[in-house]
Amino acid sequence: GFGDMSQFRCDIQDKGDSYLMEAELPGFNKEDISIDLNGDSLMITARHNSESGEKDDKGNYVRRERKFGSFSRSFDVSGIDTTAIKAAYNNGILELTLPKKGEVTPASRSIQIEG
């Protein structure tokens, strides 16, 4: 059924200063995958939309194959430095590097006493 097609398998590993997210999207082209940021939400969408088949000499399809489906998932990226997210797609695995926002700690300094 198509019910379970809307989700894809996804692993997230904590690498210390960043997260590595691996999403399994076998059979897609890089062009089929879009990654959209909307505030604290990261949306990954992958769409199959290809039609192939054999036509006879009148231009009618003799055999027709359609691949169609779309997967999408959204993730909370509120703790992520979204300006530094990197993505790569190899062998059916989409890899996202999600750097964590640094702890905001004021640099220590000493105050000179004037007067």
Side-chain angles (χ1 to χ4, degrees), residues 47-83:
R47 281 186 199 83
H48 271 308
N49 189 0
S50 59
E51 220 169 272
S52 62
E54 293 166 19
K55 295 181 178 181
D56 62 14
D57 48 13
K58 299 184 190 65
N60 298 315
Y61 278 106
V62 182
R63 200 174 52 79
R64 193 169 180 178
E65 285 176 38
R66 284 197 71 162
K67 280 204 297 188
F68 192 86
S70 110
F71 299 73
S72 65
R73 274 182 79 164
S74 60
F75 301 88
D76 178 20
V77 289
S78 50
I80 300 299
D81 178 1
T82 51
T83 58

Side-chain angles (χ1 to χ4, degrees), residues 20-106:
L20 175 65
M21 186 162 92
E22 293 182 325
E24 286 184 17
L25 295 165
F28 287 96
N29 296 319
K30 205 162 61 170
E31 299 74 40
D32 296 336
I33 301 167
S34 56
I35 303 167
D36 299 294
L37 269 170
N38 187 0
D40 285 339
S41 172
L42 177 81
M43 180 82 140
I44 299 175
T45 308
R47 281 186 199 83
H48 271 308
N49 189 0
S50 59
E51 220 169 272
S52 62
E54 293 166 19
K55 295 181 178 181
D56 62 14
D57 48 13
K58 299 184 190 65
N60 298 315
Y61 278 106
V62 182
R63 200 174 52 79
R64 193 169 180 178
E65 285 176 38
R66 284 197 71 162
K67 280 204 297 188
F68 192 86
S70 110
F71 299 73
S72 65
R73 274 182 79 164
S74 60
F75 301 88
D76 178 20
V77 289
S78 50
I80 300 299
D81 178 1
T82 51
T83 58
I85 293 174
K86 290 206 265 297
Y89 182 66
N90 297 301
N91 304 323
I93 305 284
L94 176 68
E95 283 192 3
L96 285 181
T97 304
L98 306 168
K100 298 177 187 175
K101 281 181 184 159
E103 293 298 309
V104 183
T105 50

